[in-house]
Amino acid sequence: MSSSQMLHPESTAAIQAVRTKAAARQRVVFVSGNFNIVHPGHLRLLRFASECGDFLVVGVLSDSISSNAQLSENTRLEGVAAISWVNHAFILRDSPELLIEELRPAVVVKGKEHENRNNPELAAVQSYAGRLLFGSGDTTFSSLELLRNETELINHSSIIRPRQFIERHGFTMSALASALEQMRSLKVCVIGDTIVDEYIQCDPLGMSREDPTIVVTPILTERFIGGAAIVAAHARSLGAQSVDFISVSGDDDMAQYVVGMLDSDRVRTSLIRDHDRPTTLKQRYRAGNKTLLRVSHLRQHKISRALQQQALDRVRESLNRADLVIFSDFNYGVLPQELVDEITEECRQRDIMIFADSQSSSQIGDVSRFKNAALLTPTEREARIALGNYEDGLVVIAEKLRERAEADNIVITLGAEGILIHPKVTEKGQWLTDRLPALNTAPKDSAGAGDCLLVCTAMALALGRSIWESAYLGSLAAACQVGRIGNIPLSAAELLVEINKSSDYV
C-alpha cells in the first residue's frame, strides 16, 4: 500500500493544492508543528524556512495528533496562514513523515532544538535525496511585524486639529464629513507619471572594517504604486464614483504590477507603452525608520509626438465623463508642454476644473506651466524654481506664482511647517493668506503627503467647497497618510475616523 493510499483525504488535497500552486522548478519547503499562539520563535523559524526554498508549506498538527494543543486547530491554522512567508497552510491529520514521503519537499525544516533528538522525518527525506535542516532563524525578524504595522496602521492619536483655523473660516467638522460623502458623486481623470516605490527594510550589521561604509542586510521588501498612479488610487479610495488614469510606462514587469494594483483599486487604467523607457522605479533602503539610500531607475526624455497623440486621444475620451482633471507631473517627459496645453484647452472648452502638482528634480520643473488651474500645490522650493525668485517672502512668492499661472488658488507645502494657503485677490483687492501647521505631530513617512493633499483638496474644491475647508480636509488626509510607511491608498473610512474624532481641538 502506498503512502498516498494511507494519507487522510485532507492531506491528499493539500498535496494536490501545493502541486497546482507551486511552479515546476520551485523548491518546496515543509514545516510542521502545533503553532499554538504564534510567537517570535515561530516567525524566526518560518522566515528561515522561506529562505531555504521558493514555496513554503506548513502543516498545522490537528487536535487529534497534537500533544499539547492549547487552541483549536482552526484557530491555529488561521494564525499561520496569515503569515506572509507561508504559501500554503493546512491541518495535518497524519504523521509528518507520511506526508513528507508523498509530498517530497526539497527541504524539511525543524527547530534547532530538535537537532540532537530522534527525527522520524530524516528517513523520509533521505528516501528521495531531500534535506532535513535545523534552524531557528536570527533575531532580525522581530521588527518585521512592527514594520508591517507601521506600513498599514495610522496612529490617529498623533494628529491635531487647530480650532482657530476652523473658527476663522467658518466651517465645521460635520461639513467636512458631508464633503467626504459628496465625493462619491465625482468622476476624476488623473494624468501623469507612473512610478513604483520599493521599500527595502534593512537590519544594520555595523561598519565595514575595510572602509567607512555602513553594512546592512535586507529583511523585508515592499512595493507600492507611486506618482500619478497613487493619486488615482487615492481618488478612488476616497470615494470617487470613477477614476480614469492615463500615463506612459515601459513594457515591463513594473507596468504589469501597476496595472494589477490599480485594477484591484477599481481604477480604469490606460497605460501607453514606451519601449524606449523603463517604468520608473524608486528604491528606498531603510533601517530604524530612517532612509539610508534612494536609488532611482528612470528616463527623463520627452515622449514622442506619436505617443502624445495617443495620450491626448485617451484624455479626450475620458473628458466625456470627467468632473475634474488632476495633473501629477514629475518632469520625466510624460507631460510635454504641447500636450499639457492641448489637454488644458480641451478642459477649458468643456468647463472642467484643472488641478496640478509638478515635482521638480534638481533645478528642473516649472509648476506655472499648468495654466488656469483651480489649484496648484508646489513646495516652497518648487515655487521659487518656477519663478527664479529666492529672495521674496512666501506670500509674495505665492501671489507671483498665482499670477503667472493664472491660477485660482496656491497651496505651498512647507513640510514639517505645514502649508500656506493663498487664493486669488478678494473683491476688495486684498490678499487673503492663511497657514495651517502640519497636523501630524509624529509622521513616519512624508513621501505620500503631497499626493494626498492634492487629491483630497482638489475633490473638495470640485464640489464647490471653499479653499479653506478644502485645504483643511486635504491636510487631514495628508496627516493620516504620513502616519504610516509607504503610499497606501487612503480610504474614506480612515479619513472619517479622524473627522469624527472626539478629542479636543488645539
Side-chain angles (χ1 to χ4, degrees):
M1 181 179 295
S2 69
S3 60
S4 62
Q5 293 175 302
M6 297 163 50
L7 288 176
H8 190 281
E10 288 186 31
S11 295
T12 302
I15 291 170
Q16 184 59 47
V18 171
R19 289 173 178 169
T20 300
K21 293 179 180 179
R25 295 179 180 273
Q26 284 188 311
R27 288 166 49 85
V28 174
V29 182
F30 178 71
V31 176
S32 61
N34 291 311
F35 298 100
N36 278 305
I37 297 174
V38 176
H39 57 67
H42 290 138
L43 295 176
R44 291 176 187 166
L45 176 67
L46 294 176
R47 178 172 182 258
F48 170 78
S50 70
E51 293 173 344
C52 294
D54 308 302
F55 193 94
L56 178 57
V57 181
V58 178
V60 177
L61 299 181
S62 68
D63 292 343
S64 60
I65 66 172
S66 174
S67 59
N68 62 345
Q70 299 170 14
L71 301 173
S72 71
E73 58 189 30
N74 288 326
T75 300
R76 292 183 286 122
L77 176 64
E78 287 178 4
V80 171
I83 298 170
S84 60
W85 299 302
V86 178
N87 300 106
H88 186 79
F90 67 101
I91 296 173
L92 179 58
R93 304 189 185 281
D94 301 285
S95 65
E97 57 268 25
L98 283 178
L99 189 284
I100 291 167
E101 287 178 6
E102 182 64 23
L103 178 61
R104 299 171 71 88
V107 180
V108 174
V109 173
K110 297 187 72 174
K112 195 75 173 176
E113 68 274 14
H114 295 281
E115 189 168 14
N116 296 317
R117 301 179 185 177
N118 178 42
N119 293 286
E121 299 91 345
L122 181 59
V125 296
Q126 287 179 339
S127 68
Y128 60 87
R131 299 173 64 199
L132 177 62
L133 299 180
F134 300 93
S136 299
D138 54 39
T139 59
T140 60
F141 94 92
S142 58
S143 61
L144 292 179
E145 292 306 308
L146 292 175
L147 290 173
R148 288 195 179 91
N149 286 340
E150 288 182 347
T151 298
E152 298 170 2
L153 301 180
I154 298 170
N155 180 14
H156 288 279
S157 65
S158 65
I159 298 176
I160 61 173
R161 297 183 297 176
R163 178 191 296 276
Q164 291 183 348
F165 184 93
I166 295 173
E167 293 175 347
R168 278 198 302 272
H169 299 292
F171 62 88
T172 62
M173 297 304 288
S174 61
L176 299 185
S178 172
L180 193 61
E181 174 67 23
Q182 290 176 352
M183 287 180 185
R184 299 168 69 175
S185 67
L186 292 174
K187 301 179 181 67
V188 184
C189 175
V190 178
I191 311 157
D193 297 79
T194 295
I195 296 174
V196 175
D197 292 313
E198 188 172 72
Y199 287 70
I200 300 97
Q201 303 287 356
C202 302
D203 186 49
L205 300 182
M207 186 74 73
S208 169
R209 291 182 179 275
E210 289 77 18
D211 54 50
T213 303
I214 297 174
V215 181
V216 300
T217 182
I219 59 175
L220 179 67
T221 299
E222 294 183 287
R223 283 179 180 167
F224 306 92
I225 53 173
I230 191 61
V231 171
H234 280 315
R236 191 71 176 91
S237 189
L238 284 169
Q241 183 181 136
S242 67
V243 178
D244 291 347
F245 173 54
I246 300 161
S247 184
V248 177
S249 71
D251 188 10
D252 50 30
D253 291 341
M254 288 296 109
Q256 293 302 320
Y257 168 77
V258 171
V259 171
M261 293 299 293
L262 290 178
D263 281 350
S264 66
D265 291 327
R266 297 168 298 146
V267 172
R268 188 184 293 111
T269 306
S270 181
L271 292 185
I272 300 164
R273 302 306 170 96
D274 183 351
H275 298 280
D276 294 331
R277 73 173 68 220
T279 302
T280 299
L281 171 65
K282 295 185 176 181
Q283 296 174 308
R284 292 175 175 86
Y285 290 82
R286 293 174 59 89
N289 295 328
K290 303 293 183 182
T291 298
L292 305 176
L293 175 68
R294 295 188 182 190
V295 181
S296 295
H297 307 263
L298 54 86
R299 300 274 176 81
Q300 295 178 274
H301 62 275
K302 183 172 73 172
I303 61 173
S304 68
R305 187 57 197 167
L307 293 181
Q308 291 181 47
Q309 188 58 51
Q310 288 185 48
L312 181 60
D313 291 342
R314 298 185 191 189
V315 170
R316 282 173 173 157
E317 194 276 329
S318 175
L319 293 183
N320 290 329
R321 54 182 172 269
D323 297 309
L324 66 150
V325 167
I326 300 177
F327 287 105
S328 181
D329 178 34
F330 285 75
N331 290 287
Y332 296 153
V334 170
L335 288 172
Q337 189 62 53
E338 53 266 44
L339 177 60
V340 170
D341 292 342
E342 289 169 329
I343 294 173
T344 300
E345 178 59 22
E346 288 283 342
C347 292
R348 187 193 65 79
Q349 293 178 11
R350 301 171 190 238
D351 196 25
I352 296 174
M353 297 177 74
I354 294 173
F355 304 85
D357 183 35
S358 181
Q359 298 194 27
S360 299
S361 174
S362 184
Q363 298 296 311
I364 300 172
D366 181 3
V367 69
S368 70
R369 72 192 186 96
F370 296 93
K371 304 298 183 184
N372 302 115
L375 172 69
L376 299 179
T377 59
T379 64
E380 178 183 355
R381 174 176 169 276
E382 289 161 355
R384 291 187 182 279
I385 288 174
L387 297 171
N389 186 330
Y390 301 91
E391 297 178 356
D392 287 330
L394 273 177
V395 175
V396 174
I397 290 292
E399 176 59 18
K400 287 185 175 180
L401 178 61
R402 194 199 64 76
E403 288 180 343
R404 175 177 291 187
E406 302 174 63
D408 290 338
N409 302 284
I410 302 292
V411 170
I412 296 180
T413 60
L414 304 170
E417 297 181 41
I419 60 173
L420 180 81
I421 307 163
H422 182 81
K424 59 186 176 183
V425 177
T426 65
E427 292 181 0
K428 297 180 180 179
Q430 297 177 334
W431 294 348
L432 183 59
T433 304
D434 206 343
R435 190 180 77 87
L436 257 177
L439 302 188
N440 194 319
T441 59
K444 295 177 181 178
D445 183 7
S446 62
D451 299 325
C452 245
L453 174 74
L454 169 65
V455 69
C456 195
T457 306
M459 291 171 69
L461 282 171
L463 293 169
R465 301 301 176 114
S466 72
I467 181 59
W468 315 110
E469 186 177 347
S470 301
Y472 194 96
L473 187 59
S475 294
L476 277 179
C480 290
Q481 187 65 11
V482 301
R484 56 189 176 191
I485 295 173
N487 253 344
I488 301 170
L490 180 69
S491 71
E494 290 170 323
L495 183 52
L496 193 60
V497 167
E498 188 54 43
I499 292 173
N500 292 333
K501 191 168 67 175
S502 59
S503 60
D504 291 338
Y505 298 98
V506 296

